[in-house]
Amino acid sequence: MRITASEEIYQKLRNEILSLRFEPGQELDLQLLCSQLQVSRSPVRDALMKLSGDNLVDIFPQKGTRVSCIDLKQVEEERFLRKSLEESAVRKFVPIAQGKDIALMENAIEMQKKAMEAKDFIQFLEFDDTFHSIIFAGIYMERLWDITKNQGGNHHRIRLLSFAEKDVLGNIIDQHKAMLEAIRQKDLEKVLAIENNHLEKLLKETELMMLRHPNYFKKEMPSAFLIPKN
């Protein structure tokens, strides 16, 4: 199926936003985008409207467009969606996981190690997603993984931000190794426990990221992200 100009532009702009090359809160000049992409205004407008539906840009009629700040309420909703779908997928995957699945997951971990050594956060996140996508592919439910990706823009950006924090990348790799070993052993409960800890880690890191990048976040903070004080 032929990709339309607006769809191609949408994917390019979405990648710029998800990679944080377009920063949260950054103004997007329609004329400048048209010039850079060498296209007319119409497909750029269409792409921005679609990004608005993804909660990745804010459009202000007669005023302009900006990259949406990270909305923690939406982060929690997106994390909840992914956790719910992935937990169900893990329950189906672990009993039937095959050698080829394990080999693919091992390769994803090795690629994450290389990305960590190169300090390439974007590549690291891509192979993090690859690791988890293998679970859905192993039960022939790739479309469900696509749903978590398409609906997970805020969660994606906060994950990428977290990679700059100390020991986060190494801890993710260690969790993936432990998860893979539990899959080998067909230990479903252990896989679920590791997976839950893996997806919950952002709750502990969010407060620090908000201090480091206050302008990246919407001001309201949902109760799920309020970290109890000792």
Side-chain angles (χ1 to χ4, degrees), residues 90 94 179 182-183 187-196:
V90 164
V94 170
M179 190 173 169
I183 291 170
D187 189 339
L188 176 59
E189 294 308 314
K190 188 172 183 179
V191 175
L192 289 171
I194 296 168
E195 178 79 356
N196 182 65

Side-chain angles (χ1 to χ4, degrees), residues 7 118 146:
E7 179 64 23
D146 291 341

